[in-house]
Amino acid sequence: MAKFVFSLESLLKVKTIKKRKLEKDIAEAKQRLEEAQNLLDEIKAQKKAIQSKIKKNSSNGIKVFDLKEYRSYFQLLSEREEQQIAKCQQLEKKWKTIMAELVDIYNQIDVLERLKQEQYREYIYELEKVEERALEDLVNFKFMTRSESING
């Protein structure tokens, strides 16, 4: 009997390759998201530092020009913060999409692996039946040759 060949082996290989690519993609997406979150945290820290500076200098007296400069810089940071929040949301959405694809591909591979196991069990069963028939034929052949030699 021929050796075992899973009928969907090529599909399983394709899915496995896709799984490796998605695992790489999700790692990259997670890294980009973390970098964006770190930048957002830096922007927030800068805003907080400016607010503290304004508060500290206000209690000591601050020049109008300096106050306008702080206000202008604070507005710039606020705009950058909004942009960075949007970027983080976009990157998180991309990460979640890749994660969903990865979960789906894991499920598909799991189904294919179960099918492969089932086909292998069927192959083994058929192989055992063939061996059993061969053994019966051998026993029958020996019995017949022995009967012929005794009767002959």
Side-chain angles (χ1 to χ4, degrees), residues 9-103:
E9 189 67 37
S10 59
L11 180 61
L12 181 59
K13 286 180 182 179
V14 168
K15 297 291 183 183
T16 303
I17 291 168
K18 187 174 181 180
K19 178 190 78 159
R20 279 190 235 124
K21 182 192 178 303
L22 286 171
E23 287 171 339
K24 180 183 167 205
D25 290 349
I26 201 155
E28 290 173 1
K30 184 70 172 172
Q31 182 180 0
R32 278 190 237 114
L33 179 58
E34 287 174 358
E35 289 170 359
Q37 288 285 3
N38 290 340
L39 184 56
L40 179 60
D41 291 342
E42 287 176 24
I43 293 169
K44 287 180 179 180
Q46 288 175 354
K47 277 181 67 177
K48 197 171 191 175
I50 291 295
Q51 284 177 324
S52 296
K53 234 178 194 178
I54 292 171
K55 193 174 187 178
K56 180 183 172 191
N57 290 341
S58 294
S59 62
N60 296 339
I62 189 169
K63 295 178 186 174
V64 173
F65 176 77
D66 290 339
L67 188 59
K68 284 183 178 180
E69 285 293 313
Y70 283 134
R71 183 173 172 261
S72 173
Y73 185 57
F74 188 80
Q75 285 178 333
L76 176 69
L77 287 175
S78 293
E79 290 171 10
R80 285 183 60 203
E81 181 182 29
E82 288 177 22
Q83 292 170 351
Q84 197 62 27
I85 288 171
K87 185 175 182 180
C88 287
Q89 289 171 341
Q90 178 187 10
L91 289 171
E92 186 173 6
K93 184 178 179 183
K94 183 176 182 181
W95 180 82
K96 285 180 179 181
T97 301
I98 295 170
M99 181 59 86
E101 288 179 40
L102 189 58
V103 167

Side-chain angles (χ1 to χ4, degrees), residues 1-6 123:
M1 190 169 193
K3 80 175 208 176
F4 174 71
V5 178
F6 179 48
Y123 167 78

Side-chain angles (χ1 to χ4, degrees), residues 97-124:
T97 301
I98 295 170
M99 181 59 86
E101 288 179 40
L102 189 58
V103 167
D104 185 50
I105 202 81
Y106 274 125
N107 290 336
Q108 291 175 21
I109 288 173
D110 187 47
V111 167
L112 288 170
E113 289 290 344
R114 280 189 264 135
L115 283 171
K116 184 175 183 177
Q117 287 296 324
E118 184 60 34
Q119 279 188 11
Y120 184 71
R121 279 193 287 275
E122 289 174 12
Y123 167 78
I124 294 296

